[in-house]
Amino acid sequence: MSIIAIARRNWALRLSVVLNVCVLLYVCAHIGSSGPWIEEPPTNWAAAPETYDLANGTQKGVATSLSSSSSSSSSSSVAIAVKDAASANNNNNNNNGGVGRPLRLITTTPPPNGAKAEALDKSREHPRNQTTRNGTANVAREPMSLKEAVACNEKSTEPRRAQRGDYWVLYNYVPMSMAVRCWESVTYTTHADYTFLDNLEPLLERWRAPISIAMHAPGTDFPATLNAIRYSRNCGSPLVSQLVTFHVFFSSKHVPKMVPPSEKIVSDTYNCSLGPPWVNVSLAKMYKNEKKLLYPVNVGRNIARESAPTFYVFPSDIELYPSPNLPTKFLEMIRRRDQPALHKPNPKVFVLSIFEVDEKSQPPNNKTRLVQMLKAGTAIPFHKKLCSGCHNVPKSKEWQEAPETEDLHVFHVGKRTGSFVHWEPIFIGTNNDPLYDERLSWEGKSDKMTQGYALCVLDYDFLILDNAFLVHRPGIKIFKKDTHRDMLTAKTNALIKKIIMPELKVLYGTRKGCAV
Ligand SMILES: *[C@@H]1O[C@H](CO)[C@@H](O)[C@H](O)[C@H]1NC(C)=O
Ligand SMILES: *[C@@H]1O[C@H](CO)[C@@H](O)[C@H](O)[C@H]1NC(C)=O
Ligand SMILES: *[C@@H]1O[C@H](CO)[C@@H](O)[C@H](O)[C@H]1NC(C)=O
Ligand SMILES: *[C@@H]1O[C@H](CO)[C@@H](O)[C@H](O)[C@H]1NC(C)=O
Ligand SMILES: *[C@@H]1O[C@H](CO)[C@@H](O)[C@H](O)[C@H]1NC(C)=O
Ligand SMILES: *[C@@H]1O[C@H](CO)[C@@H](O)[C@H](O)[C@H]1NC(C)=O
């Protein structure tokens, strides 16, 4: 309430002083989540692109390989990684042979000609031989295993209930069935209400690695959310139950009537002929909308990110689909350690360029195809029509002109300053990066700006990746006037300016060129 009061009292002041900033934030502000928390009917446009095989327990997909924990003696590079893990696993992790977790997930690179197996063997013989070179030679260190390159601690994936500010959270409420070690993969972390779960399958087809998703489910949206989770796990791609961990949260003022135990949801079946529970949902009748609740986007983002089982996390919005094989290629780049930018002392995150494609087009599978689509006008840079300044990535023109190459590299090191001072990048990072401010809502926009400010003050390097990218679920956004949302946006901007910014200055300090 005090915020509203402040907002009103300072109306004139804000108009004159902040208008410029507001206008910019106003129009652009949010990313991926941008869209259709409101309308847009679900489309299953990418149920099964035939280029990737659907995992069904024996899949031979490139990025994700399953192997039972007892079969680590097979001769593939994946098996070597498993053996490596098993023998070198002397720390606190209790997953090994844990109850009901027969499958293990490994996201490794397919080595061309077995080079990697050699590298792994070698690095086990000389695990700490990094002292042979100095200074600039850092760049070409001895090969090492992924486990050594990603030093991390395992995290509990047990279901638990906890309070988080005004919210109750059911962490790991419906856990993924596969086990993964913290160094083995990258987790896509995201948030949604149940009407967005139709994105899971097309997302998984491309990602094929763990997803940690926080579902907002107040009041009677809770049973509907459970049905949507049951449907996703039982009626579509087996990747969902294998790789997706669902967390559920709701305001303590909107607790559902009943919360079944976690094991019940895991073992539940669903009558698939009833169809997906997110089809033909009357949005006006959803509990959240009937009660006029705001969507607590950053509570969801933080829950999903903090609960990710892996060291590397990819906080994204569920409608942003990554280019295929990203986890594998990313981890291989980390293991290689041959990118000079990786050895700079600054904290760093790995940025993906984002694009939109028109409704009739399938998202491109590779950069070559993407560039063709950009030239043909069937793809455009993300939010070009809403706010081209907000999501523009440094050197984007050069990025588009650079031909696709093998593997993944750092294309350019950007900063969130100059003409990128309001940049809202989407990036692979870790849980050491600043979190998102939980007072900001999706409706109020600017929900990633305060994190961006913190990253700037901390002097983060934004390492832009060359051959990987994100594509928004098909359909190009156009600007729609929404006066209620405009009002909330104005309130949010006042909150950021009057309350959050002064806090951030105390907590992170200031740096020339940084702004929210
Ligand atoms: C699943 O595996 C079975 C045999 O193990 C195979 O016949 C079937 O085609 C597979 N399904 C998919 C969708 O890959
Ligand atoms: C470390 O690597 C170098 C080659 O870079 C090799 O000559 C040397 O023998 C290795 N040292 C040990 C202790 O393995
Ligand atoms: C360290 O690097 C410098 C320049 O790159 C080189 O001249 C010097 O010999 C190196 N020292 C050792 C011990 O390798
Ligand atoms: C599943 O739903 C269909 C359609 O509503 C219904 O006809 C069928 O009897 C249901 N099956 C079971 C086992 O409940
Ligand atoms: C959804 O609604 C449309 C039109 O209102 C109808 O044609 C369609 O059958 C409905 N789909 C389901 C799954 O109920
Ligand atoms: C890129 O994708 C296109 C179309 O999906 C395909 O024809 C082409 O072979 C792919 N190129 C590479 C290098 O994978």
Side-chain angles (χ1 to χ4, degrees), residues 256-393:
K257 286 230 157 52
M258 197 195 48
V259 174
S262 186
E263 308 81 55
K264 179 132 188 343
I265 309 299
V266 172
S267 59
D268 266 353
T269 54
Y270 192 78
N271 181 351
C272 297
S273 56
L274 295 173
W278 51 79
V279 171
N280 283 354
V281 173
S282 159
L283 291 170
K285 292 223 175 78
M286 282 177 70
Y287 182 92
K288 180 216 161 229
N289 297 329
E290 274 192 335
K291 301 286 178 190
K292 300 193 164 51
L293 306 184
L294 296 182
Y295 182 74
V297 59
N298 285 348
V299 178
R301 282 197 180 113
N302 290 345
I303 291 169
R305 202 187 87 176
E306 288 185 337
S307 310
T310 57
F311 178 71
Y312 283 108
V313 291
F314 184 28
S316 182
D317 285 319
I318 193 167
E319 294 184 306
L320 295 178
Y321 305 159
S323 49
N325 294 330
L326 176 55
T328 315
K329 289 181 170 173
F330 174 78
L331 291 175
E332 177 55 15
M333 181 186 79
I334 295 298
R335 192 193 65 75
R336 282 198 323 262
R337 304 189 310 154
D338 58 356
Q339 304 291 294
L342 290 177
H343 300 289
K344 287 174 65 182
N346 302 54
K348 47 188 71 66
V349 290
F350 301 86
V351 178
L352 281 286
S353 304
I354 318 176
F355 300 89
E356 296 179 80
V357 299
D358 67 28
E359 214 154 352
K360 294 185 209 73
S361 303
Q362 289 250 330
N365 289 336
N366 56 46
K367 184 177 174 183
T368 308
R369 175 80 191 122
L370 169 68
V371 170
Q372 281 169 4
M373 291 176 71
L374 287 166
K375 284 185 179 136
T378 51
I380 58 169
F382 189 60
H383 278 185
K384 189 177 175 183
K385 304 209 169 152
L386 289 187
C387 177
S388 57
C390 302
H391 295 288
N392 196 12
V393 175

Side-chain angles (χ1 to χ4, degrees), residues 7 10-30 386-387 390 421-422 424 443-447 449 479 481 485-498 515-516:
N10 293 283
W11 179 246
L13 177 73
R14 193 151 27 83
L15 269 187
S16 57
V17 180
V18 196
L19 198 65
N20 290 345
V21 181
C22 282
V23 163
L24 187 62
L25 299 183
Y26 227 53
V27 189
C28 351
H30 62 290
L386 289 187
C387 177
C390 302
V421 71
H422 300 301
E424 290 194 303
E443 288 82 356
K445 302 189 185 178
S446 304
D447 48 43
M449 293 292 183
F479 180 74
K481 182 90 182 133
R485 224 182 143 183
D486 290 349
M487 184 272 290
L488 293 168
T489 308
K491 268 189 354 196
T492 294
N493 291 341
L495 169 68
I496 290 176
K497 183 181 157 64
K498 303 241 179 279
V516 164

